[in-house]
Amino acid sequence: MPEDRPTLPPVRLHPDAELARDALATPLLTRAVRLARWAGPDARVGAGGELVDEQLPAAAEELGLGTGGDGPAYASEAWRVAVDTGLVEVQDPDAADAAAEHGTVTAGENLALITSGGPQDILAIWLDALEAVHADAIAPLLDELADAIGEDGEIDYEVLDWDPDAEAEFLDGVLGNLYLLTVSEGGAGELPVPLPALAASMIVPDDMGEPTDDVLEQVSVAMMRLDDQFRLFEPVGLVEYRPVDEALMAEEGEEPVEPVDEEDVSRYGMVKLTPLGLYGIRARMLEAGIDAPAVGDLADKGADVLLDGLALFPEPAARAETEQWLARRAPADAARDLLAAARGTDAGAPLRRLHCQQALALVGPQAEPAVRAVLDDAELGGLARVWLAERGASDVPAPPESMIFWLAIDTIAAQLDAEGELEELQGLVEDLVGQHSGFFDAAWRVDHPATAEVLEAMGRVHRDRTAAKEARKAAFKARSRSGG
């Protein structure tokens, strides 16, 4: 098993055009665009580019949010996104005009891209919006800021006890775990993840059995912080989020408005990444230098890169990647390239040949000439016969005994490298041994780099003690023969 494989499985992203439509439909970007178009020569901004308080009610009215309640706050948030994404450009006050108290705004370069740009342009704007929301999500809470403002009106950062790097690291860790749960085979997939599980994934040590009261308290605090953060991320389209039930936040001694069902985990918050969210988190990972593969990454690469790369893919993603690769090539050419790339005696070669066989199954009958051309090849002749037999081809020459046993060793070596299910490997091993009398007496003589390793593995997994003992003896002979 190669040691340099990335820890993240490949993600299956929606097409860019579909993701761009999703981005334009997010509430926050929609509001930012509306405010950018609404802002005229009378718009006034403060030193940080924020819309002045006097104009927030009008901005909220433009967005249909009303001038009372949270309307102005939502308008202020949308305006900040318009500034940060380049939908509007802030002009500082005219230094020559002593009466100029506020800055002005003009349409930003990116505003025109909303209607004239391609999917990548839209997604770039959306990623800037996501960064703006991420910055808000790790900022101190308002009540914390209030306590840290000194008599001079300045923020005392020592009193605030806020570490932006630590806050960002924790939030990115949570988002990374949510991404991993979403893309992993057998993970959450399309299902939402309970908020307590996400918080615990960052706090509870892996080797801790029963969490202590102190750890549980840390998880509870983290949950409340994440609840605030995911409420911010939902309007930008990163997640679908069911917030923590307000009844669970009742102060000690208070009676909740409704009875609390302690067994209903959904009341503690449920979150899942949207297709746009998967795109966004992966983009942030790539920006941070993290290897986060996606299905389609290998479509323009050579057959050798494809077959090596498929070793990292779970089965559904491997098939999708192969289909995209094949779609760009003529079937006959693809078959020849795949077979040529499958050759080799290195440690990854058996798995390449397995993936080659699976890819050829998707090529169809056009692969037959290329397959027949390698019938006499020592490394490829076995898989060629298997492929032809599965298609009911006629006049397939019988393989020599040496090829039969070489293919058996190569097949098991590939399964070992793929790290498949133990039961599947056991079934393969026991079927092979059962089909050939004297299997181990012939197998140790096979001239294959993995012969000894495969026989040792067969000795570990075979459930028949006698056969397992024979496998271990054969492995010893193989090592002695090769001088290992």
Side-chain angles (χ1 to χ4, degrees), residues 303 306-307 310 318-319 322 325-326 334-335 337-343 349-364 367 371 374 379-391 406-408 410-412 414-415 428:
L306 173 72
L307 295 182
L310 291 179
R319 182 183 178 93
T322 303
W325 188 88
L326 291 172
D337 291 346
L338 288 167
L339 287 163
R343 289 190 174 92
L351 192 53
R352 282 204 306 276
R353 283 185 280 274
L354 176 61
H355 289 309
C356 172
Q357 187 170 346
Q358 293 168 342
L360 288 173
L362 300 176
V363 176
V371 172
V374 298
E379 296 177 1
L380 304 177
L383 74 82
R385 285 168 171 79
V386 171
W387 187 90
L388 289 167
E390 288 176 346
R391 291 195 159 270
W406 193 95
L407 180 61
D410 199 59
T411 300
I412 297 175
Q415 293 295 333
L428 174 62

Side-chain angles (χ1 to χ4, degrees), residues 28 95 103 130 162 165 216 264-265 285 305 314 319 344-345 361 383 404 422 427 447 459 475:
L28 188 55
L130 175 60
W162 175 62
D165 292 335
L216 290 175
D264 183 4
V265 69
M285 287 179 170
V305 177
R319 182 183 178 93
T345 58
L383 74 82
I404 294 173
L422 175 60
D447 186 17

